[in-house]
Amino acid sequence: MRKLGIGLISLVMVLVLAACGSGDAGSANGKEGNKLETLQEQGSVKIGFANEKPYAYEEDGELKGAAVAIAQEVFANLGIEKVDGQLSEFGQLIPALGAGKFDVITAGMAITPDRCTNVAFGEPEIQYGEGLIVEKGNPMNLHSYKDIADNPDIKVAVMSGATEKDFMLREGIAENQITTVPDIPASFSAVESGRAHVTTGTEMTIKMALESANNEKLEFVNDFEQPDIEGVPSYGAAAFLNGDDDLREAYNAELQKLKESGKLAELIEPYGFTEEMNTVDPSITTASICSGENY
């Protein structure tokens, strides 16, 4: 009887564990793992945005920016009217997506082969280059990443998780020259306080952030020489959990309609982007960037 009792208990435990184990990513996404249908039924989507103007920012209690405008338009066209958006530090976006805090993340995040192993990117939405912010008058005469690499005393602040750190390392800037900070305002503070001589980031982000800060102690380097390396220009896109293929494919289909109609350019132009400089060539695909062909 004791052996029989143990056997019954073991069987019950197996059934309980099996039931608990059914809560995988597919089940969490709704019936038969269809995340899109789940979001359409609830009428809302949780999106993480990096707090980076002009991609995403808060103004008068409302989320604005190019990434916000694109996401709102795409999801409205998918029948999901409510975008439950939340601003986050850039470096926390991918971990938060993996933890289930967001359904999607988007912030002009550059598609890179490394990131492609952690998330499933949608198709490219926007392209952009890099930029520098220095002390007024540019006393260190910095006009490129090479200029920073050539002077080991130069310290540069960069936002945690940003692709610029990899770009700088590949341009010969030493690891001990680089200080990571949580966001753009912190990078400006580092230069103002003398903890860094320069900060770098995507061109539009840091340029507009400096204009908004109205900081007369710093200046944007207008004649910055773009690095001739893989990954520049960068191609920004929304990112999804691996396995949420139905949601990503539906997003891509609506995004393609926006591109073909010219609506995408209309959505980003109010935020300082232009069709000539920032729209993506149709031949550039996420698959080609993830594979390294167009990176």
Side-chain angles (χ1 to χ4, degrees):
M1 288 295 294
R2 183 172 177 273
K3 289 182 180 179
L4 179 60
I6 291 173
L8 288 173
I9 291 171
S10 299
L11 177 61
V12 171
M13 288 300 293
V14 167
L15 293 174
V16 170
L17 288 173
C20 292
S22 65
D24 57 14
S27 298
N29 287 348
K31 50 190 178 184
E32 298 183 359
N34 195 312
K35 183 70 163 285
L36 175 61
E37 289 184 12
T38 298
L39 297 180
Q40 288 173 327
E41 287 175 2
Q42 66 190 32
S44 65
V45 57
K46 295 180 294 183
I47 303 182
F49 298 98
N51 191 8
E52 282 187 68
K53 195 173 184 177
Y55 299 98
Y57 58 98
E58 185 175 337
E59 185 174 273
D60 299 326
E62 181 183 357
L63 285 185
K64 296 183 178 181
V68 177
I70 294 170
Q72 289 174 335
E73 184 74 16
V74 168
F75 281 106
N77 292 340
L78 287 172
I80 303 170
E81 294 293 336
K82 183 182 177 184
V83 169
D84 182 8
Q86 181 177 326
L87 296 178
S88 175
E89 290 183 7
F90 186 87
Q92 295 303 310
L93 286 177
I94 290 179
L97 177 68
K101 186 175 182 179
F102 303 125
D103 301 307
V104 187
I105 56 174
T106 180
M109 178 179 284
I111 305 168
T112 71
D114 282 346
R115 287 176 180 162
C116 290
T117 64
N118 296 314
V119 296
F121 279 103
E123 289 302 319
E125 300 175 0
I126 198 166
Q127 73 173 40
Y128 49 82
E130 308 305 315
L132 291 184
I133 299 287
V134 295
E135 186 183 343
K136 190 75 173 179
N138 198 359
M140 305 306 291
N141 198 29
L142 302 174
H143 302 276
S144 67
Y145 288 157
K146 289 293 187 184
D147 289 340
I148 300 172
D150 289 342
N151 186 343
D153 293 330
I154 297 293
K155 302 295 182 183
V156 54
V158 65
M159 186 168 61
S160 176
T163 53
E164 284 75 22
K165 181 176 180 180
D166 178 57
F167 295 160
M168 288 189 290
L169 291 173
R170 284 193 278 149
E171 284 284 84
I173 297 173
E175 181 85 40
N176 63 11
Q177 290 181 261
I178 302 171
T179 298
T180 56
V181 293
D183 52 33
I184 297 297
S187 72
F188 289 175
S189 295
V191 178
E192 274 193 88
S193 66
R195 291 183 290 112
H197 300 91
V198 57
T199 183
T200 184
T202 61
E203 181 179 7
M204 287 297 298
T205 298
I206 61 174
K207 187 175 184 178
M208 292 194 70
L210 185 60
E211 290 175 0
S212 297
N214 195 26
N215 189 325
E216 296 182 355
K217 296 180 180 179
L218 305 177
E219 70 176 50
F220 179 79
V221 179
N222 287 306
D223 60 350
F224 174 70
E225 181 182 335
Q226 293 292 331
D228 184 18
I229 56 175
E230 292 180 338
V232 180
S234 296
Y235 301 98
F240 305 79
L241 277 173
N242 288 313
D244 284 349
D245 296 338
D246 57 300
L247 178 60
R248 178 176 50 81
E249 290 169 5
Y251 185 99
N252 282 340
E254 292 302 327
L255 179 66
Q256 183 61 28
K257 293 177 186 177
L258 296 181
K259 291 178 178 180
E260 292 174 352
S261 67
K263 179 70 172 180
L264 183 64
E266 293 177 15
L267 290 171
I268 65 176
E269 282 175 354
Y271 302 100
F273 298 99
T274 67
E275 184 172 5
E276 294 75 21
M277 295 294 294
N278 302 110
T279 55
V280 181
D281 187 292
S283 67
I284 305 296
T285 66
T286 292
S288 70
I289 301 169
C290 289
S291 69
E293 178 187 348
N294 282 313
Y295 181 73

